[in-house]
Each structure stands twice: as structure tokens, then as C-alpha cells.
Amino acid sequence: MDMLWNGWGDPDRATPLPDTVTGLLRELLGVAPREDTALPLGEVEVPGPPLDEDARRALEAAVGGRAGDVRTDAESRIRHTRGKSTPDLLRMRAGDTADAPAAVVLPDGHDEVLAVLAACAEHRLALVPFGGGTSVVGGLAPGRDGAFVALDLRRMNRLLDLDEVSRTATLQPGLRAPEAEALLAEHGYTLGHFPQSYEWATLGGFAATRSSGQASAGYGRFDEMVLALTLATPEGTLETGRAPRSAAGPDLRQLVLGSEGAFGVITSVTVRVRPRPAVRRYEGWRFASFDEGAAALRRLAQDGPRPTVLRLSDETETLIGLAQPDAIGASLEQPDAGCLAVVGFEGTEEDTAHRREGAAAVLRARGGTFAGDGPGERWAHGRYAAPYLRDSLLDAGALAETLETAAYWSRLPALYAAVREALTATLTESGTPPLVMCHISHVYENGASLYFTVVSAQGEDAVAHWTRAKHAANDAILAAGGTITHHHAVGTDHRDWYAREAGPLGVGALRAVKRTLDPDGLLNPGVLLPAD
């Protein structure tokens, strides 16, 4: 099944907001119902002649002569236009396909990817790797004039090897996360990577963006799971990782992880796997304040015992109920709800019981009150539902979007305050401030992430309205000592701020890598790195 072309996920799961919620949006935020309606797919036009005939023949030859795997029809091109950020969706709903690829190409393996890269080089076509299409930072819209090809990796969806002695699996990049989990489950293993995009995102995308899943406290980030990678580039094949750790120079895996298709196309990834957990238990804890809850999370992250899932909503997010997307607004009648923490444990019966008991003692000592299994189980049930809620808010005329960052524990309070202030100042419309919510969802011994969700009126130009706010938040993040992105990646939305974070010398070093691997600058141009 393809994703909804102008929204998120499965069209059958989209549901309108209850009248009570739309009423609150009008009263609290000044949200006005949308006067226009999204164009139907059949009425959306794509620009110009898609591809010249010589280039088409070269691409068909590259994929073994399969004419059906070089697609230039309007629907295929529309479905591969941009990603799923709020500006992406607003532009698609308005019928804006200026960033549509000239063709969609579906290779069936590493050698075909190399052949496609050669054909693109010959015909001066830029190329954008396309996995699940879930980018929310402008990672799928190249910043250069001229035709480009979307390289859809869905046919590369196999488990290539399972080493049960070493507990590693080698998989192709086009596997969606649920498909990968199903293949591993047949042998009793799990990857343990469950980001909010889990139902649609691919393994290649996880590696290319340094993804972090909701169970990162227990399983780690995706880049921590990766042991080896194969990269197809216009200059040939790069193989990285022949041992779990090595002192053989700088780790080339780290150049590929997070490179967002700008250096090459990931064609296989070797990851560590773990036995499927016998027990999964999620529960809720309440704290009087965000600061108090953050201190409790820091204590667990630094000294243990560490849960598998550990997240904390601030007062506003708790009040709205965003931690439990299937119960939005349920907490509005409890203005003293404080802050909700969701704590989860996965593993063996014995290990889970031991960690849960130890964590409970820490949380109580730090002021936490046990709220039962209900909040945790409701979170687990609705953990992938928030993007559907975002679509419903857009339908109702609200602007809804997210952004994230991370910092050391000592800098987190100032970073939290700075981003909230920047968003509130720039999104206040006609005297009505936005709703700014935040949670900590990934913790480390030395710091944590902050994930903000914003709801406001759309204003006259919703895309421009959000762009101003996003830029202000980006400036605030760097000024307060945060990183410009924790797990959404750089794309084009963060590119200029990433250049500031990395510094001129760091950007120069990465440009040198790109010139070596992609001398003609054909791979995802404009994404990750500013133009020379």
C-alpha cells in the first residue's frame, strides 16, 4: 500500500476531529475553518515533459530492461514529491508539484543501483533516494534546477543474512520497519527500533537520517545498531564495517550514517539484533513539574536501572493529553495533572521485574506518583497516531507541526525556555498565542532530547507563517547550545543552521568527501550541505 499522497499513512485511518476539539481550537487559538478544499489527486498537474527518450532508455537498461520500473506517469511522480512535513502537505494540498521528479526508478539490487547512477551521470540527472517518503525536513526535494530521478528502493526488501552466533542481520534498505520486524521475528529476534514513523519508514532511511526510536533508552539509536553498510556511489562501491569495533582509522560508517543520500545510496545495512522480549509493560508516573520529572529521568539515565522506554511530557502536553493521542483533551478537566511520564520495560520476566522495581524506587524518591498501567498502555496503543492527528488539525484549519533538538542536561532548561519563547513570539496571531507542547523522549547519561509540538491558527499564508517560526526556533536552538536536530535529520530545513553548528572547516571537510564520492554533485543536491 502507498501512503496517502497529500497526508500521512493509511487513508482509512484518517478521522475528523470531534466537534468539542474544533470548538476549543476556535475559542483558544482563533482557528478559522478552511474555506478551500484539497485538490483531488486526479486534478493535480505535474510540470513539463518528464524525461527525454534517451535518458529513459538508459534508465530502463540500468534496471534490466524492465520498462515498468521506470515510471513517468503523473501519479507516480506526485507520490514521490517531497516528504511529509506540514509545509510539504500544505503545498501538495494546494496542487503545488514544482518539486516533482521527472521519473521514478525502482532498482532490484546493488548492481542495478550502480547502473542507475551511471545512467544519471551520463544524462546529467540528479538522483534522490526514496524509502518510505517520511522526511519532515525537506530531505526529498533537491535544491537544484533541472530534472531529477526519485530512486524508489521498495524492491530491495530482503533479509540477506542472519548470523545467530554474532546476533547480526544484513537487510536491504527498502524494507519497511514492520516488514523487517516480521522477518526477524520468524527467527525469534527484534531490531527494537520503533520511531513514530515506524509503520512507513525504511531501514535505509533510518540509517541515512540517524533515526532514533521510542525505545531508544533500552535498544539505542539506529546509528548505534549499525555494524556495517554498503554504499553505492557514482565512483563505485564503499564497504564499511568488518568488525563490531575497530581501531583502523576513522570509522567510515559515521560518514554514511546521517548523510541523507548526499554521498551515495545505502544498498545494505548490517545491524545487531536481540531476542524478542518475553514481556512488555508500559506504565505511567506523574510529577508536579517538568523540572522535577526531568531530574528523575536524569537520575535513571545516569545511574540506572534504565527502562526500555522513558519519556516525559511537560505540563501543557500533559494537560492536552498529547502523550495519549487516542485521548486528546481528556485531561482538560484536571488542570493540576502535572507532568506525565511514560515508563516501559521489555525483556525477560526476571530482568523486567528487576528493572521495574528499581526504577519505581528511584521515581518515588524523586517525587513521582505511580499512575498505573493505563497511561502507559494507552500511549503504546496510540504511539503511531500523532501524524494522523496532525492531518486532522490541518483539515480543521489549524497549523500543526513539530521540531526537535537535544542538549546536555545542564543546558536543557534554558534550551526549553528559549525555543518555547521563540515559537510563541513568532506564531502569536492577532493577539492569540499558539499552543506549544514539549516532551523528553530520548535520554542519555549526559543529556536528552526535547520534542516540541505546536498548534496555532494558520494565518493568511500558513507556509510562510511556519517558516518564520521555524527559523526563529532554529536560531534559538543554536544560541542556547542545542543541536539543530536530534533525529529528524538535516534536509534543507536545517541545512544552513547545520553549517553554523559544524563550522566552516567541518563543512569543508564534508564537501571534500562529497566531491570524492559524487564529483558531479548529482546525489540529493542541496540537501545536508549548502552549495559551494
Side-chain angles (χ1 to χ4, degrees):
M1 175 191 290
D2 289 321
M3 287 189 81
L4 182 62
W5 68 278
N6 63 355
W8 181 266
D10 182 354
D12 292 337
R13 289 176 59 184
T15 55
L17 295 174
D19 290 341
T20 53
V21 175
T22 56
L24 285 171
L25 291 173
R26 288 193 295 270
E27 293 172 19
L28 298 180
L29 302 176
V31 170
R34 290 182 61 87
E35 296 181 1
D36 58 335
T37 57
L39 287 175
L41 179 59
E43 294 183 15
V44 177
E45 298 180 355
V46 288
L51 200 66
D52 71 61
E53 197 55 36
D54 287 345
R56 183 188 181 99
R57 282 195 294 268
L59 291 170
E60 287 179 1
V63 293
R66 301 187 306 274
D69 284 347
V70 178
R71 303 176 183 177
T72 56
D73 62 284
E75 181 172 341
S76 294
R77 295 172 64 197
I78 290 168
R79 290 188 179 277
H80 291 78
T81 300
R82 305 188 196 96
K84 297 298 181 182
S85 71
T86 290
D88 289 340
L89 298 186
L90 289 170
R91 292 175 66 189
M92 288 304 295
R93 289 173 177 215
D96 179 354
T97 59
D99 299 317
V104 179
V105 182
L106 287 76
D108 192 38
H110 176 80
D111 291 342
E112 288 191 359
V113 172
L114 288 174
V116 171
L117 290 172
C120 287
E122 179 185 357
H123 292 274
R124 304 297 300 165
L125 290 168
L127 180 142
V128 176
F130 193 99
T134 61
S135 171
V136 292
V137 292
L140 300 174
R144 99 172 201 172
D145 295 331
F148 76 95
V149 167
L151 191 74
D152 189 319
L153 298 166
R154 72 179 66 187
R155 292 198 184 282
M156 298 174 63
N157 61 355
R158 293 178 284 274
L159 171 63
L160 300 177
D161 181 65
L162 180 66
D163 179 347
E164 297 197 63
V165 174
S166 304
R167 286 189 178 172
T168 69
T170 301
L171 305 114
Q172 290 186 307
L175 273 168
R176 284 183 180 168
E179 296 172 336
E181 281 295 320
L183 288 170
L184 294 172
E186 292 176 6
H187 303 275
Y189 294 100
T190 182
L191 185 57
H193 189 68
F194 306 106
Q196 195 170 80
S197 61
Y198 168 79
E199 295 171 310
W200 297 94
T202 62
L203 297 196
F206 291 154
T209 60
R210 290 189 181 270
S211 173
S212 192
Q214 295 168 337
S216 63
Y219 291 101
R221 295 166 53 95
F222 194 80
D223 50 5
E224 295 170 333
M225 302 174 186
V226 175
L227 302 172
L229 291 156
T230 303
L231 189 74
T233 83
E235 295 297 289
T237 300
L238 179 66
E239 299 275 4
T240 70
R242 59 192 306 158
R245 295 291 185 272
S246 172
D251 189 348
L252 292 176
R253 286 175 296 190
Q254 300 306 318
L255 281 176
V256 179
L257 292 166
S259 60
E260 299 184 53
F263 297 161
V265 180
I266 295 169
T267 58
S268 73
V269 57
T270 299
V271 292
R272 62 112 179 98
V273 294
R274 292 181 177 167
R276 282 173 59 80
V279 175
R280 288 187 174 95
R281 180 163 182 177
Y282 309 102
E283 56 194 33
W285 288 78
R286 292 196 179 273
F287 291 88
S289 70
F290 195 50
D291 286 343
E292 187 177 272
L297 266 61
R298 177 171 64 87
R299 165 62 178 78
L300 286 176
Q302 290 180 335
D303 300 319
R306 185 176 291 196
T308 309
V309 172
L310 189 56
R311 48 196 296 127
L312 173 72
S313 294
D314 71 359
E315 290 88 348
T316 306
E317 186 170 289
T318 300
L319 183 65
I320 298 300
L322 202 62
Q324 301 161 205
D326 59 346
I328 296 296
S331 297
L332 288 174
E333 297 177 1
Q334 306 174 45
D336 59 346
C339 294
L340 175 67
V342 172
V343 186
F345 302 89
E346 299 182 8
T348 65
E349 190 83 47
E350 180 181 7
D351 174 65
T352 297
H354 174 74
R355 286 188 293 132
R356 181 171 174 266
E357 181 181 356
V362 171
L363 294 171
R364 285 196 183 93
R366 296 284 171 159
T369 302
F370 184 58
D373 292 347
E377 294 299 330
R378 285 194 295 274
W379 168 82
H381 176 73
R383 63 197 297 185
Y384 308 126
Y388 292 100
L389 174 62
R390 189 261 309 260
D391 285 0
S392 299
L393 287 165
L394 293 179
D395 290 340
L399 175 69
E401 186 57 300
T402 64
L403 61 87
E404 40 74 57
T405 180
Y408 296 113
W409 286 111
S410 59
R411 294 178 177 173
L412 222 57
L415 177 61
Y416 172 74
V419 176
R420 282 179 54 86
E421 181 179 347
L423 291 170
T424 300
T426 50
L427 285 172
T428 296
E429 182 77 9
S430 302
T432 303
L435 191 63
V436 181
M437 299 164 277
C438 183
H439 63 253
I440 294 172
S441 51
H442 307 278
V443 298
Y444 308 95
E445 183 178 352
N446 309 110
S449 69
L450 293 175
Y451 190 100
F452 293 87
T453 300
V454 184
V455 183
S456 76
Q458 287 190 5
E460 293 185 8
D461 185 338
V463 173
H465 194 41
W466 172 248
T467 299
R468 287 192 296 271
K470 175 71 170 174
H471 289 184
N474 288 352
D475 288 340
I477 285 169
L478 292 191
T483 180
I484 196 59
T485 176
H486 173 264
H487 59 270
H488 279 173
V490 174
T492 55
D493 290 1
H494 297 143
R495 179 191 59 208
D496 296 342
W497 288 267
Y498 172 58
R500 287 163 55 184
E501 183 176 329
L505 191 60
V507 171
L510 291 176
R511 281 179 174 153
V513 172
K514 184 168 176 67
R515 284 194 295 269
T516 299
L517 299 177
D518 178 26
D520 295 323
L522 300 177
L523 289 165
N524 222 358
V527 170
L528 182 67
L529 295 173
D532 284 314

